[in-house]
Amino acid sequence: MSVLAGKELRIVGFLCNWCSYGGADTAGTARAVQPTDLRIIRVPCSGRVNPLFVLKALINGADGVLVSGCHPRDCHYSAGNYYARRRLELLKEFLPVIGINPDRFEYTWVSASEGQRWKDVVTNFTNRIHALGPAPRWEDVPARYDRPEELIESIRPLGCGEHPALPELRQAVKDALAEGLEGVLGWKKGFDAVHAEPVFMTTPEEVDSLIWGPFNVHNLAVYLPQYKGRKIGVVVKGCDSKGVVELLAENLISREDVKIFGMGCNGTVSLPRILAKLPEGVKIESCTGRGNKITVTAGGQDYEMTMAEVAQDKCRLCTKPNAVLSDVFVGTPTTEPAAPADGRLPGLRFLDSLSLEERMGYWKGQMERCIACHACRGACPMCVCRDYCVSDTRDPAWVTQEDTVQQKLFFQLIHAQHLAGRCTGCTECERACPMDIPVFALKQQFGRMIQKIFSYGAGLDVNATPPLLTYQVEEPTIKEHDLA
Amino acid sequence: MNITRLDKARDLKFKRQVEEESGQNLSTCYQCGKCTAGCPGAQVYDRQVSQIMHAVQLGLKEEALKNRSLWLCLSCSTCSARCPNNIDVAAVMETLRMMARREGWVQDRPIESFWKAFLDTVHATGRSYELGVMADYMGRTLRGWGNLEIAPMALRKNKMPFIPSVIHGRKEVARIFKRYAEKRS
Amino acid sequence: MKIGVFVCHCGSNIEATVDTATVAKIALTYPDVVFSEDTMYTCSEPGQENIVQAIKKHGLDGVVVASCSPRMHEPTFRRTVERAGLNRYMFEMANIREHVSWIGRDREANTNKAAELVRLAVEKLRRNAPLYAKQFDVTKRVLVIGGGVAGIQAALDAAESGIGVVMVERESTIGGKMAKLDKTFPTIDCSSCVLAPKMVDVAQNPNITLYAHSEVESISGFVGNFTVKIRKRATYVDWDKCTGCGTCTEKCPTKNVPDAFNEDISTCRAINIPFPQAIPKKATINPDYCRKIKEGKCGVCAKVCPTGAIVYDMVDEIVEEKVGAIIAATGYDLVDWTVYKEYGGGTYPDVITSLQYERMMSASGPTAGHIHRPSDGMEPKNIVFIQCVGSRDCSIGRPYCSGFCCMYTAKQAIMTKDHLPDAEAFVFYMDIRAPGKMYDEFTRRAQEEYGVQYIRGRVSAIQPTVRPDGRVGYIVRGADTLLGESVEVDADMVVLAVGVEGSKGAGNLAEKLRISYDHYGFFMESHVKLRPVETNTAGVYLAGVCQGPKDIPASVAQGSAAAAKVMALFSKPKLENDPQVSVVDIKRCVACGKCIQVCPYQAIEEVEIRGQKKAHVIETVCQGCGVCTATCPQGAIQVAHFTDNQLLAEVNALCLS
Amino acid sequence: MKYAYYPGCSGHGTSVEYEASTRAVCRALNMDLVEIEDWNCCGSTPAHSVSHELSAALSARNLMQASKTGADCVISPCPSCSSNLKMARYRMQKPAFKARVDELLDAPTPANAEGGADLMETCSVLQAIVENVGLENIASRVSYPLEGIKVVTYYGCLLSRPVQVAKFDDPENPVSLDNIMKALGAEVLPFALKTECCGAAMGIPDVNIPGSLSGRILDTAKAVGAEAVITACPLCHMNLDLRQRQAARISGKPFFGLPVFYYTQMIALAFGLPKDAMRLDKLAVNPYPLLDKIAERRKVRVSAELEAMKAAGAAS
């Protein structure tokens, strides 16, 4: 719908019915003259405002979005605004990663009696948006197709080769099956030497096919929710175990149903990086590993490569190589390195180096390539909606089937937003992407902001409450955004 | 007695200027008089501090600025400490005094002269020097004789040295005064 | 769907800056809109009739009215569409008055904006669904919290109509602040003569269960079905046996107990009955002072009690009551005036509060109605009254007027003249606020008939000094702003009209009741003008000063009003909920429990449906805030009338060009 | 702890006894005072009455000089000087004000992250003693307690006001001096005029102003039974002590004869510091009768204690 050309910008407001909507009424009753740009959507509570509404408006061309609710302590529903404060603060911190100026979004508190304050809020926010000018349109931003190429240095020694404790692990799994476990999730050799595949082991013979090493890339936690209520086991690397912990914390699986087998991990490989070193289409015959070197024999020839060249990015910065929670831990644990000074993976590092508009162009370029296969979703252990993902339904209809950059990016935003405070950083979304789109950067942006605001990391403690599902009456780390 | 035509006489720009310079919101004054009640200078004021506040509220510039009270204010801040509306009344008084001086409406020459004498001493020596200030002040105004009452005691107790102390950096201090004078003119 | 749009002129309120005819014309281009017109006063009788006729004539199944705020007239128009046979939720409003015509001056921009707001309403309405309320049973009993005059009135009125009343009073007697007063304005009739009979009625009414010396421990449930846990604090006296004879209080050897009923101007015994007309007239032991309880020695009261009622090892008891409605009537406390260091901050013995002065003047008070100043018992000659101590003072965070101090100060000044005809009464005031029947006349009488000296100005400081005769005097330094001079009075005694705030613990109780309260401890009414007795929690009502400063007549009126609200609530055989509540789509729900975790009302529970765990909304508890909807990743729980799709439609209407 | 010390001009004139006793007491309390090199007058009331910028510039020079001492904090015995130095720092937090002041100075003041001036903090010596040294330290050093002499403490206007700048004690009922005097063994009487203005420097143009205001303070002090007035301000001291006869005359009262001490003199007395640490000779109202009274009471107390000890010894 058209905005009054040249005069107004598109500003959307979400106002709590009880306080701010009333405050706007009070301002009106007092004939407090205000800029006319703002269009108000009435909601029962600021806690009703799903941050995705704000993202939807901004992605679809709003120049500014304002959320206003009851002052802290004055919530009509006693606590809705406390949840809103956390979610909206996080959202504001998230926005720059997709190239949206965080000043285009604001949230504040106005009570029903504060007509003057409402007038000031509207006036100041509208002036702010006018000073920023119209938001850049996706159509107008030049798409970029460059991408992070950087190979980050590992903070720990990476290795490959047969794990000395593998027989012990197999025995432990066999014992567990004998004791009545229905089956245990693990990996076995796939169609060639460098591809592993998940296996649900139910017999001792199947257990003998269990492998452990740099090709065990899959996060098997993804399969656990579908076995809910059945007694099974799962073999995990450190990163996988965080997914298990988070599933447990969220009550999506139960502790008594799942037995966790862990072993120290020395890093896993990025298959595209291996394949890039081989001639295209060549058949891989075998693969051996020793120390930090991998030798791939393909088309009758040996190709030697180091883990430093082919390891996955996440393994290079991994600080949890051992399962954070396990029932059976076999072998010596891998030494845990101290947290790196910079935990950003190349995707986020690259984005951080771009200007806001360049970031928009970057996502435009990436999303043009997206084929909307949703493999990222399928690989994510925390995507538990399964067949009921909100992006596939008519009710609610968050995305249409239109093949546009905005719709595809919005799917990614839904995924990232749903993972805020839950994502354990396994980067399976990115590994699973057939188009090699660095979608993990969106989740990592949420992750670092959650760390910044709430000092919280997901997947470490079964008893932790994710920060978006709770609140504090006083939030020492959230500054009041006073627009009045 | 003149009748003030409020519709004409009100100078709201003046009120805004006072608010801006003093950093205080004068509209919050509801004339309770607590400032006047506690003011140690009230008995010698020709216009009470609450009345001056009200004059500013009304935008009556002359009423607010042409009075001795501004010069008699002791800057003790009792008014500010007790104001129920958190107005720093003393800061408003100080602002008004400066505005009055800019307008050339100094209403108490003796006090103004004392300040001048004091600052001249500081200007010249870098420090203040009571005997010098007194002499200068009395010379300018031919007043202040009342202080002679205490002079013998002060002198007996050797509390007023005859030689001023002069600092090395007096030229630096003098330059502060010079720049200040230049900026004002 | 067929939608009709009605664009209101509201006289010239909207029409002056919005071209309503154009808005109506544009509205016709919106999807599903089959009828649109502008009308003069949509809310008027003919305006509403017009809507009813249009619904019938055009077969409309949804209506949008573009006029004032839905907070104003949404209920009105919902009834209108219901009259025409539509479900009341098939209606939306566009607020083009408060949010458009009254705040924008540019007619073109306003017209465009109004049309867009209509578009939003249409898009939302297209996704509305008829909603139906659920019925549930009501427990026809009411809990009254607080036994002051407001609570007493509410309890008596409710009991009179046959409703069972549970009254909880924190002190050991009901009566509240009014019981402490000597006389009342503007008639100067005796406070206890008016109140005592009502207190007796409470005790004697078979419909009223009184828990004195008790507090509300917790409240659960919802309108119609609250469960209240009441903590009966230990009195150390078996009240069933106690006859109130008073022998124990006579014989108790511990005499230095501050007498709270007398505002600490006197002392009482460790076992005490606050005053002769107390209801219930039962003794209570103060365990902080009782020697038997503290040190195990003494036991005199047990020896002298003729009925053997003393129980030194009594403990608190929790009782449970079921009620359908709650009236909060918790009254007030005085602002902590000791923050005024310039008035001595509580260290000057002869600077007292007005409530202490009431006790001093009361014939049943510690001085039997004789006015003697506390420090040396001297009969004061000059008495200064200072108004607005702790009221209208931003510097101590109490910006509001306490409402009734002007009146009682006038009364106390008059009474002073009555008690001590030779005394002089000086009243320092800022404004005399005496609106009310016979009120201003009353303050005039104080000045005209009794010669009370009123001085307009706040007092800056009270400075004690020692007079030549060795007695302490208090120099009250004030200003007479009318004279334009500072003035002083050498006073023998100073009475501070201390302002009021919500009673201590009000915030705590509000949390239990799930009602809002302000910075000053006053409970928030649902609407300042139109719903002054209701709160935002259904079934919880307010009476008396707990809602804001008010005097006795107003408190009594609100007590009756609260009782009337309860009667109206209980007049229906069953209650209906507001159907704007959350609904779970069980096939989408994965039972992750996030909604249960965030729900502010514990309105969501986990249930098992065909062997699978699912979330389930208790419709009567859910208040419809929608926090769960914003939390559920699957979109499996949707708050009716504000569903994701409805809000998305509004966002898309605005942002998709 | 090291302090940059700003004596203030009156220390060389009307309040030499304050200056001497302050230095002696600070030394006794292990406070390391480094006098600010070549300090200038803060401009006192005249400067800030004439121009905030001029006043701040004069103070800013001192504060910049102070930073050469290597101390963390400036202290001054004079409440008026402390207030001026504090106020300059407070006002210069605003970048615009800082810029205007910088224009008056030879070299601009250093800036902090927010663009305001990065200047050293100031507090009064009293504040430093109360907050950094502590009352227990003082009490533990007392060798000659003051034997319960009845005193009133008089703070004047500027020690705790304006509240937002002073950030010390209570503006209406300050107690820091009371606590010190109690620690020294004096009885502190309740006194409502603790922060009532004495008339400040208004005596120069019009002696009637401090005359009547100080007269009232002294009269009330006398009425409540005080044997002495304790103060912390040179100007207050001048009005109460040097002008005491004048004040009595102007307020129509007989001469009060109330000795007025600086609190530092009393500390020095109780600590048993040498005579030149007190300079009691500089006081206008004769303090010796009161000191004799203290000595008399001490004698009585000590001999009573001796007797008690003897009795106890005999008993055992």
Side-chain angles (χ1 to χ4, degrees), chain B residues 118-172:
Chain B
F118 186 98
L119 292 177
D120 282 352
T121 311
V122 179
H123 188 162
T125 66
R127 293 208 181 143
S128 67
Y129 160 53
E130 284 119 341
L131 205 62
V133 174
M134 279 304 297
D136 185 343
Y137 168 74
M138 288 164 73
R140 275 170 207 258
T141 60
L142 301 179
R143 290 179 57 151
W145 308 110
N147 289 289
L148 291 182
E149 188 179 346
I150 59 164
M153 176 66 96
L155 294 174
R156 189 166 75 237
K157 294 281 176 186
N158 195 16
K159 282 198 157 189
M160 288 211 179
F162 285 89
I163 303 162
S165 73
V166 178
I167 69 167
H168 300 300
R170 66 179 184 281
K171 287 198 177 134
E172 199 183 327

Side-chain angles (χ1 to χ4, degrees), chain C residues 546-559:
Chain C
C546 69
Q547 177 255 340
K550 52 179 71 65
D551 58 11
I552 294 168
S555 295
V556 170
Q558 203 179 11

